[in-house]
Amino acid sequence: MRTNRVLLAAAASVMALALAGCGSDDGGPKVPTAASGGAATSSAASGEQGGGGDVAAYVQAQRAYVKCLRENGVDAPDPDDKGNIDFGDDPALKKDAEFQAATEKCADHLRAVPESVEKGNQTELTAEQIKVKQQYAKCMQENGASDFPDPGPDGLGQGEWDQSSAGAKRAIRICGPIVGVPATPGPGKG
């Protein structure tokens, strides 16, 4: 159950990064815009800055995505130097029929977020949050999920584990309260 939530959260994060972005105008190097015809104007666009060619390819794909959105009636902003697109915080936008239709038409332009960009967009965990993740991993391992991965020094980096065994299910019930999951969930609504 927990892995499903983790995978769902990861998928939602990728879409959120692609749709919401974390862009800001910090005066750094500029990326070619969809309107500029794609002329390279910065080291980030050519892959020289930290991420290599995967970042350059991602930025290029994001520009193509923005261009496609614009061609389909959506006034989309240019991606930043890491390919993030900031659509703002308006929740109504994601429900807008024109926006939904354009994102479906342009979906073939979306690419996976390169690891270097994804890590750069994550907020750092506090020492207390890292400690909680370590406690949770230890609890899981000691209570039936011996293959539950240890978090890295940054608190991130959990891998795959078998959540289908009886021991893993027991460990989830026992250790859930450490991360805020009630041991006995209440009745569902609806």
Side-chain angles (χ1 to χ4, degrees):
M1 181 68 124
R2 175 145 167 51
T3 297
N4 289 341
R5 283 191 225 156
V6 171
L7 292 175
L8 182 59
S13 295
V14 169
M15 282 306 293
L17 287 172
L19 295 176
C22 297
S24 67
D25 189 9
D26 60 0
K30 300 296 178 197
V31 173
T33 65
S36 73
T41 61
S42 75
S43 60
S46 63
E48 295 172 18
Q49 205 180 49
D54 59 340
V55 174
Y58 177 68
V59 170
Q60 184 67 26
Q62 289 294 83
R63 285 188 307 203
Y65 178 67
V66 165
K67 183 178 179 186
C68 179
L69 289 176
R70 290 175 181 166
E71 290 170 352
N72 285 283
V74 174
D75 184 23
D78 291 327
D80 69 11
D81 64 339
K82 294 181 182 172
N84 296 313
I85 304 169
D86 186 1
F87 286 101
D89 295 331
D90 184 9
L93 178 64
K94 293 178 184 170
K95 294 180 181 179
D96 180 71
E98 187 174 33
F99 180 77
Q100 288 179 347
T103 57
E104 285 180 28
K105 287 180 184 176
C106 302
D108 61 326
H109 294 290
L110 290 175
R111 300 292 178 263
V113 180
E115 186 176 338
S116 60
V117 172
E118 188 173 350
K119 283 187 176 185
N121 289 335
Q122 293 176 345
T123 58
E124 287 188 35
L125 298 177
T126 65
E128 182 62 31
Q129 290 170 320
I130 293 171
K131 184 178 177 183
V132 167
K133 289 194 172 256
Q134 291 168 339
Q135 289 172 340
Y136 182 72
K138 183 177 180 184
C139 179
M140 292 293 288
Q141 293 163 356
E142 291 175 350
N143 287 287
S146 60
D147 62 339
F148 190 86
D150 289 316
D154 58 358
L156 304 174
Q158 291 190 355
E160 296 292 319
W161 60 285
D162 179 14
Q163 65 178 4
S164 63
S165 71
K169 290 176 183 177
R170 182 180 68 248
I172 291 169
R173 279 193 317 274
I174 293 169
C175 304
I178 294 172
V179 292
V181 177
T184 54
K189 294 182 181 178

